[in-house]
Amino acid sequence: MEILVPILSAAIRSGTPILYATLGEILTEKAGVLNLGLEGLMLLGAFSGFTVTMVTGNPWVGLAAAFCVGMAVSALHAFLCVTMGANQVVSGLAITMFGTGMSALLGKAYVGETIRGLGILPVPLLAKIPLLGPVLFNHDPLVYLSYVLVGLACWFISSTRWGLTLRAVGENPRAVDAAGLSVVRLRYAYTMVGGGLAALGGAYLSVVYTQMWVEMMTAGRGWIAVALVIFGIWNPLRAALGSYLFGGVGALQLRIQAAGTTIPAPLLLMLPYILTIVVLVGISVRKGKGILLGAPAALGQPFHREERD
Amino acid sequence: MESERQRPLVQMLGITKSFASVRANRGIDFDVFAGEVHTLLGENGAGKSTLMNILNGLYQPDAGSIRVKGRECRFSSPREAIAAGIGMVHQHFMLVPVLTVWENLVMGLPGLKAVLPKRDVIRKIGELSDRYGLDVEPEAQVWQLSVGEQQRVEILKMLYRNAEVLVLDEPTSVLTPQEVRRLFDTIRQMTAEGHGVVFISHKLDEVMEISDRITILRSGEVVETLPGRMATREMLAEKMVGRKIVFAVDKAVLNPGDTVLEAEGICALNDRGLPAIRNLSLSIREGEILGIAGIAGNGQKELCEALTGLRPIHFGRVLLRGKDMTGRKPMDFLQAGVSYIPADRKGTGLVGAMNLRENFALKNFWRKPYARGPFLSWESIAGETGRIVERFGVSAPGLGIPVRNLSGGNQQRLMLGRELSGTPDLIVAMQPTWGLDVGATEFVRDQLLRQRERGAAVLLVSEDLEEVLALSDRLAVIHKGEIMGMVEDPRSASEEELGLMMAGIRREPAIEGEKAR
């Protein structure tokens, strides 16, 4: 058992950035908007989080800045998809390309710099629990925040009036419109919060996890998050489990490399991405057998009121 | 009380509204008093729904005013309309299928507590249900409910918001005859409690039964407002359409010939992968119209697709003239002389962005003279398309215009012409008159009868009970993908009995008869 502790603990740490992005995408997609710009948003978040932390010396300010950048850029996505009714896939891909290129361009000067980001802060008492303590409660504050956010998101979606309208607007926006709520406003709000969370996930990589800036440092985690939303059937708790599973595969892969194996490193590096493909195939096969999955019915469809049928 | 009765709950004056080039409403006056049912009668496209969507705040009028209890109001959203006491039950329900009944009821409710007060909501639903005879299970998810139950949820939603005026848009089109009676009881209960009800319909018998006053709309204008008790069927129809209408269908007596289509115990799944057709058997002979009656969403679409090769069959067999076609491709069905007139003419039927010729070619590209080796012969395609346009009275500015620019009636005429042009053996027609005006409806029905006289086998699926009763030689009622009973002489069938079958109550003896045959 004892040898599992470092692996599980590492799984949580490397799963956390994916978790933030997945949570954000769940909120966005629940509102009926598909945002494939996660990868770009994470990169912009990683870059802005790093530079602001470096300039201000305060990692919290850096993280807040990353969140704001994510909100701003996904507001652009919302403008294109909600206001203009553009194709959401195309807009999302554009955001990913924009984020990738922009962060690389602006970040050139910062490659090789280091910052003092957030450190480990064991939770008093809880960290002393055997096994569970070191796995769950010996981390940085952003990990704890993600636990809170997962619980909060579950409760928010299932039990509050805002959660009810969130569920409704992604399923049948006409019903929400007929109830007198603004579909546009709801979709903007959740797209922006979702984008903010994705950028925060990216910032976790640069401000907490590595404490440095590397071009393309998200390495496809944004895409894994898109897949995890489906894996987690739009449920925050399942998304968390999925994120840690992927984080665990990543951490395990590092350990196998460190143990000095003959398996070539690039093959091991592929593991999380292969797992993504396997998971998506598995889910699609189940779908074919008629299991109802939680995809919001109006996902990806623009909404216009004055359309006559 | 008396003075309240003299002032209308709602008054609409001089309402005008245009969409692009269409004038949907022109100077319409309409009012509703407490305790009355005021019916809006008119054909599809007469402007009924537009007028009510204006009252409901979904559309803004170009001109005219709305007064609620004498006070001038402008609604820029449905929320403002409902706050003023006007609630609308839409023809296509505004419900969220994955949410429960009680969640749907309170979704978007102003002043709702932050944490959903589930117990209070369910108690209030119980009270309203008892008072108006609207029982539903509050904790059921809406997708599990029958259409009739969903409608009750919509009405409850409006009553929950204290609506004084309820607008019911075509509420009976999705109900069995028994459910219609039940709805009417609820409507009477609501008027007795002082609500005003706007009832929108084009079904004359129902209109005459329930209305205190009737306003007839035609092409966006009011023809007349008259008391319900003064109305007769013929008079209403004439005012609605603008000319005299013959209700009887002229149908020749025919002896059916050889069996064309046989389905033996077929099962098929719907798009979500759930069973839609269960162990269904039927047969159609030459010169025979087999009608399929049933409430929308009971497997009609899946049945049509299974019988035209568009949907895989998991069990059972489909035979065309004795030849096993199970598992064959749609093209094999097409080449075997099967025509399909789908309900969604803009989706499965036609391609809106393509022109008339191209749409004709879509289903005929494989056969001579339209195909010459790997090439298309646009001359013969244009020639035949032109003949269809003429014979079927498609009014189009040219063969080269995209079909989405045609009206629904003209699209249907074009599709009908295409599907009937190859003298098919079997015609599968789903809702062929849906959304058409009276003229186009008559034309489509007449064409189907002509095909029958020519010796084609016709499967007619329709949610319009009157239509299947009038056209069919035999009638099957479908419920949840099963045939509930076969009626050998549709003209003698009682509405009562059909209603029971539509609600899922099996008629045993007829099934035995079908097996024996």
Side-chain angles (χ1 to χ4, degrees):
Chain A
M1 282 309 274
E2 281 302 317
I3 53 156
L4 276 177
V5 169
I7 294 177
L8 291 178
S9 172
I12 288 194
R13 261 170 76 81
S14 63
T16 298
I18 306 176
L19 176 56
Y20 274 103
T22 309
L23 269 182
E25 184 70 7
I26 286 177
L27 292 178
T28 306
E29 291 195 12
K30 277 264 173 198
V33 179
L34 179 71
N35 188 352
L36 293 183
L38 286 189
E39 180 79 2
L41 289 163
M42 285 183 85
L43 279 167
L44 285 171
F47 166 74
S48 49
F50 179 84
T51 47
V52 172
T53 305
M54 204 172 106
V55 171
T56 62
N58 185 340
W60 289 106
V61 178
L63 293 170
F67 190 83
C68 293
V69 167
M71 295 242 286
V73 176
S74 51
L76 179 68
H77 182 62
F79 173 74
L80 288 171
C81 301
V82 181
T83 308
M84 307 304 289
N87 184 310
Q88 303 189 355
V89 172
V90 174
S91 169
L93 292 177
I95 293 220
T96 283
M97 285 187 257
F98 166 76
T100 311
M102 193 54 101
S103 61
L105 175 71
L106 298 177
K108 265 221 165 72
Y110 299 92
V111 176
E113 303 275 353
T114 51
I115 49 168
R116 269 204 60 196
L118 283 184
I120 305 271
L121 187 79
V123 183
L125 296 175
L126 289 178
K128 297 277 193 299
I129 306 172
L131 291 178
L132 277 184
V135 171
L136 292 176
F137 300 109
N138 192 22
H139 292 291
D140 53 85
L142 228 51
V143 170
Y144 309 139
L145 178 65
S146 72
Y147 298 162
V148 175
L149 282 181
V150 168
L152 204 63
C154 285
W155 174 77
F156 178 85
I157 291 170
S158 69
S159 312
T160 69
R161 58 186 270 213
W162 302 286
L164 184 60
T165 34
L166 170 60
R167 278 182 282 158
V169 77
E171 290 288 342
N172 186 358
R174 293 175 69 98
V176 173
D177 188 49
L181 297 169
S182 165
V183 174
V184 170
R185 217 177 295 165
L186 284 166
R187 288 192 164 170
Y188 261 87
Y190 288 109
T191 305
M192 287 170 68
V193 171
L197 285 172
L200 194 58
Y204 182 88
L205 284 172
S206 63
V207 178
V208 185
Y209 198 59
T210 63
Q211 313 208 341
M212 55 185 192
W213 162 250
V214 184
E215 197 178 305
M216 302 279 283
M217 69 187 304
T218 53
R221 286 179 178 83
W223 297 113
I224 289 178
V226 171
L228 275 178
V229 172
I230 303 166
F231 172 77
I233 51 171
W234 290 263
N235 174 327
L237 200 59
R238 288 189 51 141
L241 294 177
S243 301
Y244 297 147
L245 175 67
F246 275 81
V249 172
L252 195 66
Q253 165 269 123
L254 278 176
R255 248 151 250 270
I256 299 175
Q257 274 191 61
T261 160
T262 51
I263 306 169
L267 276 184
L268 289 171
L269 281 172
M270 273 196 260
L271 276 177
Y273 310 102
I274 291 172
L275 187 60
T276 308
I277 295 172
V278 170
V279 161
L280 283 179
V281 169
I283 283 173
S284 307
V285 169
R286 274 204 321 179
K287 196 173 177 181
K289 285 187 185 144
I291 293 163
L292 279 175
L293 293 166
L299 180 61
Q301 294 164 12
F303 170 76
H304 305 288
R305 183 195 281 173
E306 288 245 335
E307 209 168 35
R308 303 188 77 199
D309 42 37
Chain B
M1 193 65 204
E2 203 47 45
S3 68
E4 279 293 305
R5 286 206 177 253
Q6 273 151 20
R7 190 173 64 184
L9 284 175
V10 166
Q11 196 172 18
M12 302 177 83
L13 291 167
I15 300 291
T16 297
K17 173 77 178 171
S18 301
F19 290 99
S21 58
V22 189
R23 287 261 291 253
N25 285 167
R26 292 186 240 191
I28 293 181
D29 296 333
F30 185 82
D31 55 13
V32 194
F33 289 83
E36 77 160 351
V37 178
H38 190 165
T39 293
L40 262 181
L41 178 69
E43 290 196 78
N44 285 304
K48 299 170 300 202
S49 291
T50 303
L51 184 68
M52 286 304 115
N53 280 332
I54 288 171
L55 181 60
N56 189 40
L58 270 176
Y59 299 155
Q60 269 62 54
D62 301 335
S65 65
I66 300 171
R67 285 184 197 156
V68 178
K69 292 184 188 165
R71 251 195 37 236
E72 181 107 13
C73 291
R74 276 203 96 81
F75 303 136
S76 58
S77 77
R79 173 171 255 182
E80 291 173 25
I82 189 72
I86 298 163
M88 176 139 176
V89 175
H90 294 266
Q91 191 178 359
H92 305 287
F93 300 146
M94 299 286 185
L95 296 172
V96 184
V98 299
L99 299 185
T100 62
V101 169
W102 72 267
E103 283 174 330
N104 265 289
L105 278 178
V106 297
M107 197 267 294
L109 192 71
L112 188 67
K113 283 185 193 152
V115 180
L116 299 172
K118 180 174 165 183
R119 218 181 281 159
D120 297 349
V121 174
I122 288 179
R123 202 186 46 232
K124 192 169 168 194
I125 293 174
E127 287 166 16
L128 287 173
S129 297
D130 291 346
R131 195 152 131 208
Y132 296 99
L134 290 161
D135 32 281
V136 281
E137 169 54 49
E139 300 206 51
Q141 287 185 317
V142 163
W143 63 268
Q144 300 170 313
L145 305 181
S146 73
V147 182
E149 287 171 311
Q150 292 186 19
Q151 187 176 64
R152 274 175 243 155
V153 177
E154 281 282 19
I155 296 174
L156 275 172
K157 197 158 100 183
M158 293 311 145
L159 292 172
Y160 197 100
R161 286 158 168 74
N162 302 315
E164 286 180 85
V165 175
L166 278 107
V167 182
L168 308 176
D169 189 1
E170 303 265 359
T172 60
S173 59
V174 292
L175 302 181
T176 65
Q178 283 84 355
E179 285 174 317
V180 169
R181 227 155 296 149
R182 202 168 154 179
L183 172 69
F184 282 3
D185 288 340
T186 298
I187 291 179
R188 289 192 187 101
Q189 186 59 36
M190 290 193 294
T191 51
E193 300 242 353
H195 294 279
V197 174
V198 180
F199 183 77
I200 302 178
S201 182
H202 60 256
K203 291 189 184 168
L204 302 176
D205 294 325
E206 291 169 359
V207 167
M208 289 189 299
E209 183 184 339
I210 195 75
S211 311
D212 296 305
R213 281 192 298 156
I214 303 171
T215 291
I216 302 152
L217 289 187
R218 191 170 70 226
S219 359
E221 285 177 289
V222 174
V223 180
E224 193 179 341
T225 299
L226 67 162
R229 64 190 136 74
M230 305 245 303
T232 67
R233 200 180 150 86
E234 285 68 26
M235 177 178 112
L236 290 176
E238 199 183 323
K239 288 187 197 301
M240 180 165 96
V241 182
R243 61 187 165 86
K244 279 216 182 304
I245 294 293
V246 189
F247 280 100
V249 174
D250 228 2
K251 205 169 123 190
V253 180
L254 283 182
N255 285 322
D258 298 340
T259 302
V260 176
L261 171 82
E262 262 177 293
E264 294 175 355
I266 57 169
C267 296
L269 304 178
N270 64 15
D271 292 340
R272 287 155 85 187
L274 304 172
I277 301 293
R278 303 157 208 255
N279 192 21
L280 185 148
S281 299
L282 54 83
S283 67
I284 317 175
R285 288 164 292 174
E286 290 170 347
E288 182 180 60
I289 297 183
L290 173 66
I292 303 274
I295 301 166
N298 272 290
Q300 288 97 324
K301 187 182 112 201
E302 289 82 2
L303 175 63
C304 290
E305 291 179 351
L307 295 180
T308 49
L310 293 168
R311 185 172 289 271
I313 293 167
H314 289 273
F315 295 100
R317 297 199 302 164
V318 173
L319 305 172
L320 271 176
R321 295 215 177 264
K323 199 172 136 217
D324 194 345
M325 296 292 285
T326 318
R328 303 293 286 273
K329 296 190 189 83
M331 180 56 89
D332 298 325
F333 281 79
L334 208 58
Q335 292 179 342
V338 177
S339 263
Y340 179 34
I341 301 164
D344 59 334
R345 49 181 166 263
K346 285 175 207 154
T348 319
L350 301 168
V351 179
M354 288 189 173
N355 66 34
L356 277 69
R357 286 189 297 261
E358 290 165 335
N359 269 289
F360 172 79
L362 277 178
K363 274 250 183 129
N364 293 290
F365 65 88
W366 50 275
R367 66 188 170 112
K368 284 182 176 170
Y370 314 113
R372 266 194 320 226
F375 300 105
L376 290 174
S377 160
W378 285 108
E379 284 146 68
S380 28
I381 289 171
E384 181 61 16
T385 311
R387 276 190 287 282
I388 288 172
V389 165
E390 209 168 295
R391 270 225 329 273
F392 287 78
V394 185
S395 87
L399 299 182
I401 66 151
V403 299
R404 65 157 169 259
N405 294 354
L406 303 183
S407 74
N410 282 315
Q411 290 178 354
Q412 190 71 347
R413 283 168 192 260
L414 175 69
M415 189 165 75
L416 203 67
R418 180 186 72 190
E419 294 302 324
L420 303 184
S421 78
T423 57
D425 247 12
L426 170 69
I427 298 155
V428 177
M430 178 155 180
Q431 300 271 62
T433 61
W434 188 84
L436 301 185
D437 60 35
V438 171
T441 301
E442 272 177 29
F443 179 82
V444 170
R445 290 181 183 170
D446 186 52
Q447 286 297 326
L448 288 177
L449 288 173
R450 278 200 211 175
Q451 292 296 321
R452 164 183 177 267
E453 277 160 45
R454 183 178 63 79
V458 181
L459 181 79
L460 172 67
V461 178
S462 179
E463 284 146 30
D464 184 344
L465 202 50
E466 258 178 75
E467 175 167 276
V468 270
L469 283 175
L471 295 181
S472 309
D473 297 297
R474 284 187 303 136
L475 178 65
V477 180
I478 194 169
H479 176 260
K480 293 202 169 150
E482 288 180 273
I483 302 258
M484 287 294 122
M486 192 71 80
V487 180
E488 295 295 334
D489 182 10
R491 281 164 193 229
S492 70
S494 85
E495 213 172 62
E496 185 72 39
E497 197 180 9
L498 291 173
L500 287 174
M501 287 193 272
M502 283 160 80
I505 292 155
R506 211 177 269 280
R507 173 174 150 168
E508 293 299 344
I511 298 253
E512 293 304 316
E514 174 72 0
K515 269 186 194 149
R517 218 159 47 83

